[in-house]
Amino acid sequence: MRKTLVLAASLALCLPALAQETAETPQWPEPEISDDISALPEPVRAKRQALIDAARSGDIEELRALVEAQASPPNVSFGNPEDAVDYLKDASEDDDGRQILGLLIDLFDQPYAFYPDSGGQTNYIWPYLAELPPDSLTPEQQVDAYRLLDSAQIEELKQFGAWYYWRTVINEAGDWSAFVAGD
């Protein structure tokens, strides 16, 4: 009898946990994808163009004014370096930061993904590929991926199960939120 009571009590205590495990986990919204720059909100379109213009200058220091004009610098590393521009220059494959500037332009040449974050603000992400599972890209999306990565890098993304290559984000207010690689 005592074992039955203990078993019944244990079962009663576990039922809420079992119910939580079987309840559906809230799903993050599917991103919308577009290549229509004219559909971007004006602050996003303006920041994108300012970043492209700075990158096309060939001088990574041109990004500094854009970073300093914001209340918060963009996230450029999950380690939160003190100086975003210096970090990007150091991350570049050349000493002058031109490779990273070229990469920024290449990202902005891709379609973008967008959806609201948990606070309801919409973020615009380049390339849109950063928001898709790498192992289920359509042939057209694979071509876009090959514009940024080689076959070994794409295979790594598939094995990892997520995009961890460079991506950049501008929020609907026109703040450059991120230019980061990693998961």
Side-chain angles (χ1 to χ4, degrees):
M1 175 77 168
R2 186 175 178 128
K3 286 184 181 178
T4 305
L5 286 174
V6 170
L7 184 58
S10 297
L11 183 58
L13 291 173
C14 291
L15 285 178
L18 290 173
Q20 286 178 341
E21 288 180 20
T22 59
E24 282 190 38
T25 304
Q27 295 294 315
W28 193 252
E30 288 291 318
E32 294 187 50
I33 297 170
S34 178
D35 61 358
D36 185 359
I37 301 307
S38 68
L40 291 167
E42 178 53 34
V44 176
R45 197 168 48 243
K47 182 63 65 136
R48 176 186 173 274
Q49 190 58 54
L51 288 164
I52 290 171
D53 292 346
R56 287 198 187 284
S57 77
D59 182 359
I60 197 158
E61 287 298 321
E62 292 291 317
L63 295 177
R64 192 170 301 282
L66 298 171
V67 169
E68 292 175 352
Q70 299 185 164
S72 299
N75 179 14
V76 294
S77 169
F78 294 109
N80 291 325
E82 192 171 310
D83 187 303
V85 176
D86 284 347
Y87 176 84
L88 292 172
K89 185 175 180 181
D90 288 344
S92 186
E93 292 176 9
D94 68 299
D95 293 337
D96 297 315
R98 292 188 181 114
Q99 179 269 333
I100 209 82
L101 294 173
L103 172 63
L104 184 59
I105 293 169
D106 286 347
L107 295 178
F108 281 130
D109 280 346
Q110 293 271 324
Y112 57 91
F114 63 99
Y115 52 79
D117 66 14
S118 59
Q121 178 168 246
T122 300
N123 290 299
Y124 297 84
I125 301 105
W126 286 268
Y128 71 102
L129 298 163
E131 300 301 309
L132 300 176
D135 59 346
S136 61
L137 299 178
T138 67
E140 295 85 2
Q141 293 165 339
Q142 289 174 18
V143 169
D144 284 341
Y146 277 115
R147 291 176 54 207
L148 298 170
L149 306 167
D150 63 33
S151 58
Q153 292 169 313
I154 291 171
E155 190 56 37
E156 284 178 21
L157 294 178
K158 288 178 184 178
Q159 296 298 318
F160 185 71
W163 184 271
Y164 61 83
Y165 189 65
W166 288 93
R167 59 201 171 276
T168 194
V169 181
I170 301 173
N171 68 30
E172 68 186 9
D175 291 325
W176 186 28
S177 312
F179 182 29
V180 67
D183 183 37

